[in-house]
Amino acid sequence: MATLIAPITFSPGLDAEALRKAFQGWGTDEKTVIAILGHRNVHQRQQIRKVYEEIYQEDLIKRLESELSGDFERAVYRWMLEPADRDAVLANVAIKNGSKGYHVIVEIACVLSADEVSQ
């Protein structure tokens, strides 16, 4: 099992700039996207998103969606969401998939408290 080591210093501005550089040119530097977002917690990713929007006047999630594709795009998109929003997206996709996706709803309901489910 791999262990991720989070950096001691965190700068959302530097991360936003590095992500912008990863988007430039032909193709996207996916390793940089993973290296930055994979070593941040949900609150840090939200700070990066906010700073990115302040600096470049565009939503980071929309930029990621335009730069990435397939399963990787979906994974990074869900990575960027708050836990409650991510659960809502997963439940929505599961409902649209019909009987194949109900295990996702059961898992969400089992993991969350009654108050968290009702929110």
Side-chain angles (χ1 to χ4, degrees), residues 7-93:
I8 295 171
T9 59
F10 166 68
S11 172
L14 292 176
D15 287 349
E17 289 175 21
L19 286 171
R20 181 66 173 219
K21 287 179 186 175
F23 301 147
Q24 294 176 341
W26 269 7
T28 300
D29 182 0
E30 294 177 355
K31 288 183 181 184
T32 299
V33 173
I34 294 169
I36 292 171
L37 299 179
H39 289 89
R40 306 295 183 264
N41 63 37
V42 67
H43 302 292
Q44 291 171 330
R45 288 191 294 268
Q46 293 302 315
Q47 289 176 338
I48 294 168
R49 181 180 178 190
K50 181 180 177 186
V51 170
Y52 187 92
E53 188 168 348
E54 290 171 358
I55 294 172
Y56 302 111
Q57 284 76 47
E58 70 176 333
D59 186 16
L60 178 58
I61 290 180
K62 292 194 185 302
R63 183 60 187 257
L64 287 165
E65 287 175 340
S66 71
E67 294 288 336
L68 307 174
S69 63
D71 290 339
F72 185 60
E73 174 196 350
R74 285 187 290 280
V76 171
Y77 170 74
R78 292 171 184 164
W79 221 357
M80 292 296 296
L81 297 175
E82 295 279 346
D85 294 334
R86 183 180 56 246
D87 290 343
V89 167
L90 291 172
N92 188 356
V93 169

